[in-house]
mmCIF file of all heavy atoms in Angstrom:
data_model
loop_
_atom_site.group_PDB
_atom_site.id
_atom_site.type_symbol
_atom_site.label_atom_id
_atom_site.label_comp_id
_atom_site.label_asym_id
_atom_site.label_seq_id
_atom_site.Cartn_x
_atom_site.Cartn_y
_atom_site.Cartn_z
ATOM 1 N N LEU A 156 0.843 -1.196 0.001
ATOM 2 C CA LEU A 156 -0.002 0.000 -0.002
ATOM 3 C C LEU A 156 0.877 1.248 0.001
ATOM 4 O O LEU A 156 0.630 2.210 -0.742
ATOM 5 C CB LEU A 156 -0.924 -0.011 1.217
ATOM 6 C CG LEU A 156 -1.890 1.168 1.353
ATOM 7 C CD1 LEU A 156 -2.846 1.231 0.179
ATOM 8 C CD2 LEU A 156 -2.660 1.057 2.662
ATOM 9 N N GLY A 157 1.931 1.225 0.811
ATOM 10 C CA GLY A 157 2.856 2.355 0.842
ATOM 11 C C GLY A 157 3.601 2.539 -0.458
ATOM 12 O O GLY A 157 3.993 3.658 -0.818
ATOM 13 N N VAL A 158 3.789 1.450 -1.196
ATOM 14 C CA VAL A 158 4.455 1.528 -2.503
ATOM 15 C C VAL A 158 3.538 2.189 -3.534
ATOM 16 O O VAL A 158 3.957 3.028 -4.332
ATOM 17 C CB VAL A 158 4.866 0.122 -2.982
ATOM 18 C CG1 VAL A 158 5.296 0.138 -4.450
ATOM 19 C CG2 VAL A 158 6.001 -0.416 -2.122
ATOM 20 N N VAL A 159 2.268 1.831 -3.497
ATOM 21 C CA VAL A 159 1.339 2.296 -4.515
ATOM 22 C C VAL A 159 0.970 3.777 -4.323
ATOM 23 O O VAL A 159 0.865 4.532 -5.294
ATOM 24 C CB VAL A 159 0.068 1.419 -4.524
ATOM 25 C CG1 VAL A 159 -1.013 2.031 -5.417
ATOM 26 C CG2 VAL A 159 0.426 0.018 -4.999
ATOM 27 N N VAL A 160 0.797 4.210 -3.070
ATOM 28 C CA VAL A 160 0.466 5.616 -2.836
ATOM 29 C C VAL A 160 1.685 6.472 -3.209
ATOM 30 O O VAL A 160 2.764 6.301 -2.662
ATOM 31 C CB VAL A 160 0.074 5.869 -1.369
ATOM 32 C CG1 VAL A 160 -0.179 7.364 -1.144
ATOM 33 C CG2 VAL A 160 -1.158 5.067 -0.989
ATOM 34 N N GLY A 161 1.504 7.346 -4.177
ATOM 35 C CA GLY A 161 2.607 8.163 -4.667
ATOM 36 C C GLY A 161 3.311 7.571 -5.872
ATOM 37 O O GLY A 161 4.338 8.103 -6.311
ATOM 38 N N SER A 162 2.769 6.499 -6.459
ATOM 39 C CA SER A 162 3.437 5.840 -7.580
ATOM 40 C C SER A 162 3.074 6.444 -8.933
ATOM 41 O O SER A 162 3.494 5.955 -9.977
ATOM 42 C CB SER A 162 3.123 4.345 -7.581
ATOM 43 O OG SER A 162 1.731 4.112 -7.701
ATOM 44 N N GLU A 163 2.280 7.501 -8.952
ATOM 45 C CA GLU A 163 2.020 8.332 -10.132
ATOM 46 C C GLU A 163 1.430 7.553 -11.309
ATOM 47 O O GLU A 163 1.752 7.801 -12.466
ATOM 48 C CB GLU A 163 3.295 9.066 -10.554
ATOM 49 C CG GLU A 163 3.881 9.907 -9.424
ATOM 50 C CD GLU A 163 4.885 10.951 -9.882
ATOM 51 O OE1 GLU A 163 4.761 11.440 -11.023
ATOM 52 O OE2 GLU A 163 5.782 11.287 -9.097
ATOM 53 N N GLY A 164 0.542 6.585 -11.007
ATOM 54 C CA GLY A 164 -0.151 5.867 -12.064
ATOM 55 C C GLY A 164 0.728 4.933 -12.865
ATOM 56 O O GLY A 164 0.357 4.530 -13.977
ATOM 57 N N MET A 165 1.869 4.544 -12.311
ATOM 58 C CA MET A 165 2.824 3.715 -13.049
ATOM 59 C C MET A 165 2.780 2.244 -12.654
ATOM 60 O O MET A 165 3.456 1.423 -13.263
ATOM 61 C CB MET A 165 4.239 4.256 -12.856
ATOM 62 C CG MET A 165 4.411 5.681 -13.346
ATOM 63 S SD MET A 165 6.077 6.288 -13.129
ATOM 64 C CE MET A 165 6.967 5.325 -14.345
ATOM 65 N N LEU A 166 2.001 1.893 -11.626
ATOM 66 C CA LEU A 166 1.970 0.516 -11.143
ATOM 67 C C LEU A 166 0.619 -0.153 -11.360
ATOM 68 O O LEU A 166 0.526 -1.375 -11.392
ATOM 69 C CB LEU A 166 2.336 0.455 -9.656
ATOM 70 C CG LEU A 166 3.680 1.066 -9.252
ATOM 71 C CD1 LEU A 166 3.935 0.854 -7.768
ATOM 72 C CD2 LEU A 166 4.822 0.495 -10.076
ATOM 73 N N GLY A 167 -0.437 0.618 -11.473
ATOM 74 C CA GLY A 167 -1.766 0.071 -11.658
ATOM 75 C C GLY A 167 -2.784 1.189 -11.671
ATOM 76 O O GLY A 167 -2.446 2.364 -11.497
ATOM 77 N N VAL A 168 -4.042 0.832 -11.878
ATOM 78 C CA VAL A 168 -5.136 1.816 -11.922
ATOM 79 C C VAL A 168 -6.014 1.590 -10.692
ATOM 80 O O VAL A 168 -6.611 0.515 -10.535
ATOM 81 C CB VAL A 168 -5.953 1.678 -13.214
ATOM 82 C CG1 VAL A 168 -7.140 2.648 -13.189
ATOM 83 C CG2 VAL A 168 -5.076 1.941 -14.433
ATOM 84 N N VAL A 169 -6.085 2.583 -9.832
ATOM 85 C CA VAL A 169 -6.853 2.489 -8.591
ATOM 86 C C VAL A 169 -8.339 2.660 -8.893
ATOM 87 O O VAL A 169 -8.741 3.620 -9.563
ATOM 88 C CB VAL A 169 -6.366 3.544 -7.577
ATOM 89 C CG1 VAL A 169 -7.270 3.564 -6.355
ATOM 90 C CG2 VAL A 169 -4.916 3.261 -7.173
ATOM 91 N N THR A 170 -9.159 1.741 -8.391
ATOM 92 C CA THR A 170 -10.599 1.801 -8.630
ATOM 93 C C THR A 170 -11.422 1.984 -7.359
ATOM 94 O O THR A 170 -12.632 2.165 -7.422
ATOM 95 C CB THR A 170 -11.075 0.518 -9.340
ATOM 96 O OG1 THR A 170 -10.592 -0.616 -8.622
ATOM 97 C CG2 THR A 170 -10.537 0.473 -10.773
ATOM 98 N N GLU A 171 -10.768 1.914 -6.190
ATOM 99 C CA GLU A 171 -11.474 2.108 -4.927
ATOM 100 C C GLU A 171 -10.451 2.479 -3.861
ATOM 101 O O GLU A 171 -9.335 1.972 -3.864
ATOM 102 C CB GLU A 171 -12.185 0.813 -4.538
ATOM 103 C CG GLU A 171 -13.047 0.893 -3.284
ATOM 104 C CD GLU A 171 -13.692 -0.439 -2.976
ATOM 105 O OE1 GLU A 171 -14.555 -0.884 -3.762
ATOM 106 O OE2 GLU A 171 -13.307 -1.064 -1.971
ATOM 107 N N VAL A 172 -10.832 3.381 -2.959
ATOM 108 C CA VAL A 172 -9.910 3.854 -1.927
ATOM 109 C C VAL A 172 -10.639 3.869 -0.582
ATOM 110 O O VAL A 172 -11.774 4.356 -0.481
ATOM 111 C CB VAL A 172 -9.398 5.274 -2.239
ATOM 112 C CG1 VAL A 172 -8.354 5.697 -1.198
ATOM 113 C CG2 VAL A 172 -8.802 5.352 -3.637
ATOM 114 N N THR A 173 -9.976 3.347 0.452
ATOM 115 C CA THR A 173 -10.501 3.421 1.822
ATOM 116 C C THR A 173 -9.658 4.427 2.591
ATOM 117 O O THR A 173 -8.430 4.282 2.660
ATOM 118 C CB THR A 173 -10.445 2.060 2.523
ATOM 119 O OG1 THR A 173 -11.181 1.108 1.745
ATOM 120 C CG2 THR A 173 -11.056 2.148 3.910
ATOM 121 N N VAL A 174 -10.288 5.469 3.112
ATOM 122 C CA VAL A 174 -9.567 6.549 3.776
ATOM 123 C C VAL A 174 -9.963 6.648 5.244
ATOM 124 O O VAL A 174 -11.078 6.293 5.630
ATOM 125 C CB VAL A 174 -9.815 7.914 3.092
ATOM 126 C CG1 VAL A 174 -9.362 7.892 1.642
ATOM 127 C CG2 VAL A 174 -11.294 8.311 3.181
ATOM 128 N N ARG A 175 -9.025 7.134 6.047
ATOM 129 C CA ARG A 175 -9.312 7.443 7.454
ATOM 130 C C ARG A 175 -10.127 8.731 7.517
ATOM 131 O O ARG A 175 -9.848 9.686 6.783
ATOM 132 C CB ARG A 175 -8.029 7.666 8.239
ATOM 133 C CG ARG A 175 -7.109 6.489 8.338
ATOM 134 C CD ARG A 175 -5.783 6.931 8.956
ATOM 135 N NE ARG A 175 -5.963 7.461 10.303
ATOM 136 C CZ ARG A 175 -5.115 8.307 10.886
ATOM 137 N NH1 ARG A 175 -4.045 8.750 10.237
ATOM 138 N NH2 ARG A 175 -5.327 8.725 12.125
ATOM 139 N N ILE A 176 -11.092 8.775 8.390
ATOM 140 C CA ILE A 176 -11.780 10.037 8.676
ATOM 141 C C ILE A 176 -11.597 10.331 10.162
ATOM 142 O O ILE A 176 -11.659 9.428 10.996
ATOM 143 C CB ILE A 176 -13.271 9.999 8.271
ATOM 144 C CG1 ILE A 176 -13.957 8.721 8.750
ATOM 145 C CG2 ILE A 176 -13.408 10.129 6.764
ATOM 146 C CD1 ILE A 176 -15.427 8.642 8.421
ATOM 147 N N LEU A 177 -11.332 11.576 10.473
ATOM 148 C CA LEU A 177 -10.932 11.967 11.823
ATOM 149 C C LEU A 177 -12.001 12.829 12.485
ATOM 150 O O LEU A 177 -12.771 13.526 11.800
ATOM 151 C CB LEU A 177 -9.626 12.752 11.768
ATOM 152 C CG LEU A 177 -8.424 12.079 11.103
ATOM 153 C CD1 LEU A 177 -7.238 13.023 11.089
ATOM 154 C CD2 LEU A 177 -8.089 10.784 11.819
ATOM 155 N N PRO A 178 -12.034 12.841 13.813
ATOM 156 C CA PRO A 178 -12.946 13.751 14.521
ATOM 157 C C PRO A 178 -12.537 15.204 14.274
ATOM 158 O O PRO A 178 -11.347 15.535 14.327
ATOM 159 C CB PRO A 178 -12.749 13.376 15.995
ATOM 160 C CG PRO A 178 -12.113 12.028 15.993
ATOM 161 C CD PRO A 178 -11.296 11.967 14.743
ATOM 162 N N THR A 179 -13.489 16.035 13.986
ATOM 163 C CA THR A 179 -13.201 17.460 13.841
ATOM 164 C C THR A 179 -12.725 18.014 15.173
ATOM 165 O O THR A 179 -13.359 17.772 16.209
ATOM 166 C CB THR A 179 -14.468 18.216 13.380
ATOM 167 O OG1 THR A 179 -14.949 17.626 12.172
ATOM 168 C CG2 THR A 179 -14.167 19.684 13.159
ATOM 169 N N PRO A 180 -11.594 18.724 15.205
ATOM 170 C CA PRO A 180 -11.099 19.270 16.483
ATOM 171 C C PRO A 180 -12.170 20.130 17.157
ATOM 172 O O PRO A 180 -12.936 20.834 16.482
ATOM 173 C CB PRO A 180 -9.893 20.119 16.059
ATOM 174 C CG PRO A 180 -9.445 19.522 14.770
ATOM 175 C CD PRO A 180 -10.693 19.071 14.079
ATOM 176 N N PRO A 181 -12.253 20.087 18.484
ATOM 177 C CA PRO A 181 -13.296 20.851 19.183
ATOM 178 C C PRO A 181 -13.177 22.355 18.991
ATOM 179 O O PRO A 181 -14.157 23.088 19.119
ATOM 180 C CB PRO A 181 -13.101 20.454 20.654
ATOM 181 C CG PRO A 181 -11.712 19.908 20.738
ATOM 182 C CD PRO A 181 -11.432 19.299 19.413
ATOM 183 N N GLY A 182 -11.986 22.811 18.707
ATOM 184 C CA GLY A 182 -11.789 24.235 18.478
ATOM 185 C C GLY A 182 -10.540 24.481 17.660
ATOM 186 O O GLY A 182 -9.632 23.652 17.633
ATOM 187 N N ALA A 183 -10.502 25.602 16.981
ATOM 188 C CA ALA A 183 -9.327 25.974 16.194
ATOM 189 C C ALA A 183 -9.298 27.484 16.027
ATOM 190 O O ALA A 183 -10.343 28.118 15.826
ATOM 191 C CB ALA A 183 -9.351 25.296 14.827
ATOM 192 N N ARG A 184 -8.105 28.057 16.169
ATOM 193 C CA ARG A 184 -7.917 29.485 15.928
ATOM 194 C C ARG A 184 -6.649 29.665 15.096
ATOM 195 O O ARG A 184 -5.748 28.825 15.126
ATOM 196 C CB ARG A 184 -7.793 30.255 17.242
ATOM 197 C CG ARG A 184 -9.080 30.257 18.064
ATOM 198 C CD ARG A 184 -8.871 30.911 19.414
ATOM 199 N NE ARG A 184 -8.565 32.334 19.295
ATOM 200 C CZ ARG A 184 -8.115 33.087 20.298
ATOM 201 N NH1 ARG A 184 -7.897 32.536 21.487
ATOM 202 N NH2 ARG A 184 -7.879 34.364 20.123
ATOM 203 N N ALA A 185 -6.607 30.747 14.376
ATOM 204 C CA ALA A 185 -5.451 31.012 13.510
ATOM 205 C C ALA A 185 -4.788 32.316 13.910
ATOM 206 O O ALA A 185 -5.454 33.286 14.295
ATOM 207 C CB ALA A 185 -5.889 31.074 12.054
ATOM 208 N N LEU A 186 -3.477 32.328 13.826
ATOM 209 C CA LEU A 186 -2.680 33.542 14.031
ATOM 210 C C LEU A 186 -2.183 34.040 12.691
ATOM 211 O O LEU A 186 -1.678 33.254 11.882
ATOM 212 C CB LEU A 186 -1.480 33.247 14.938
ATOM 213 C CG LEU A 186 -1.733 33.098 16.432
ATOM 214 C CD1 LEU A 186 -0.520 32.479 17.100
ATOM 215 C CD2 LEU A 186 -2.049 34.453 17.057
ATOM 216 N N MET A 187 -2.304 35.331 12.454
ATOM 217 C CA MET A 187 -1.799 35.963 11.243
ATOM 218 C C MET A 187 -0.639 36.870 11.669
ATOM 219 O O MET A 187 -0.837 37.877 12.363
ATOM 220 C CB MET A 187 -2.921 36.775 10.580
ATOM 221 C CG MET A 187 -2.548 37.376 9.248
ATOM 222 S SD MET A 187 -4.024 37.992 8.386
ATOM 223 C CE MET A 187 -4.587 39.269 9.501
ATOM 224 N N ILE A 188 0.582 36.482 11.277
ATOM 225 C CA ILE A 188 1.786 37.130 11.811
ATOM 226 C C ILE A 188 2.587 37.729 10.660
ATOM 227 O O ILE A 188 2.959 37.024 9.713
ATOM 228 C CB ILE A 188 2.662 36.127 12.590
ATOM 229 C CG1 ILE A 188 1.823 35.348 13.602
ATOM 230 C CG2 ILE A 188 3.807 36.850 13.284
ATOM 231 C CD1 ILE A 188 2.553 34.174 14.224
ATOM 232 N N GLY A 189 2.861 39.025 10.735
ATOM 233 C CA GLY A 189 3.661 39.694 9.712
ATOM 234 C C GLY A 189 5.107 39.851 10.140
ATOM 235 O O GLY A 189 5.397 40.069 11.328
ATOM 236 N N PHE A 190 6.032 39.730 9.176
ATOM 237 C CA PHE A 190 7.463 39.849 9.455
ATOM 238 C C PHE A 190 8.114 40.828 8.486
ATOM 239 O O PHE A 190 7.668 40.960 7.331
ATOM 240 C CB PHE A 190 8.153 38.491 9.314
ATOM 241 C CG PHE A 190 7.818 37.515 10.408
ATOM 242 C CD1 PHE A 190 6.713 36.677 10.300
ATOM 243 C CD2 PHE A 190 8.606 37.438 11.551
ATOM 244 C CE1 PHE A 190 6.396 35.790 11.303
ATOM 245 C CE2 PHE A 190 8.297 36.548 12.567
ATOM 246 C CZ PHE A 190 7.193 35.722 12.449
ATOM 247 N N PRO A 191 9.172 41.496 8.925
ATOM 248 C CA PRO A 191 9.875 42.427 8.032
ATOM 249 C C PRO A 191 10.767 41.738 7.020
ATOM 250 O O PRO A 191 11.320 42.389 6.131
ATOM 251 C CB PRO A 191 10.712 43.274 9.003
ATOM 252 C CG PRO A 191 10.957 42.371 10.179
ATOM 253 C CD PRO A 191 9.727 41.532 10.302
ATOM 254 N N SER A 192 10.920 40.410 7.128
ATOM 255 C CA SER A 192 11.733 39.657 6.162
ATOM 256 C C SER A 192 11.231 38.228 6.072
ATOM 257 O O SER A 192 10.676 37.682 7.049
ATOM 258 C CB SER A 192 13.214 39.650 6.575
ATOM 259 O OG SER A 192 13.400 38.854 7.728
ATOM 260 N N VAL A 193 11.436 37.603 4.900
ATOM 261 C CA VAL A 193 11.032 36.215 4.750
ATOM 262 C C VAL A 193 11.935 35.307 5.592
ATOM 263 O O VAL A 193 11.497 34.243 6.062
ATOM 264 C CB VAL A 193 11.075 35.782 3.271
ATOM 265 C CG1 VAL A 193 9.951 36.422 2.493
ATOM 266 C CG2 VAL A 193 12.418 36.091 2.624
ATOM 267 N N GLU A 194 13.173 35.741 5.795
ATOM 268 C CA GLU A 194 14.078 34.949 6.620
ATOM 269 C C GLU A 194 13.563 34.868 8.058
ATOM 270 O O GLU A 194 13.621 33.810 8.697
ATOM 271 C CB GLU A 194 15.494 35.538 6.611
ATOM 272 C CG GLU A 194 16.182 35.522 5.256
ATOM 273 C CD GLU A 194 15.732 36.667 4.354
ATOM 274 O OE1 GLU A 194 15.186 37.658 4.871
ATOM 275 O OE2 GLU A 194 15.922 36.552 3.133
ATOM 276 N N GLY A 195 13.049 35.990 8.569
ATOM 277 C CA GLY A 195 12.503 36.009 9.919
ATOM 278 C C GLY A 195 11.321 35.078 10.056
ATOM 279 O O GLY A 195 11.175 34.362 11.057
ATOM 280 N N ALA A 196 10.457 35.062 9.037
ATOM 281 C CA ALA A 196 9.296 34.160 9.069
ATOM 282 C C ALA A 196 9.749 32.696 9.049
ATOM 283 O O ALA A 196 9.216 31.864 9.785
ATOM 284 C CB ALA A 196 8.384 34.446 7.881
#
């Protein structure tokens, strides 16, 4: 499975995928931070 994911369609044709679904975090906040240089960021 680890070989096939990321194999860019060169090993086979995927016809079905089983994915993990996760609990939505109870809360989330974002910080918007400005810097005087890209190096500082």
Side-chain angles (χ1 to χ4, degrees):
L156 181 61
V158 168
V159 171
V160 177
S162 60
E163 304 197 29
M165 300 181 70
L166 304 183
V168 176
V169 173
T170 51
E171 184 181 293
V172 185
T173 303
V174 300
R175 297 171 61 204
I176 47 178
L177 304 178
T179 304
R184 293 174 66 192
L186 284 166
M187 185 167 63
I188 311 169
F190 289 88
S192 70
V193 288
E194 296 80 19

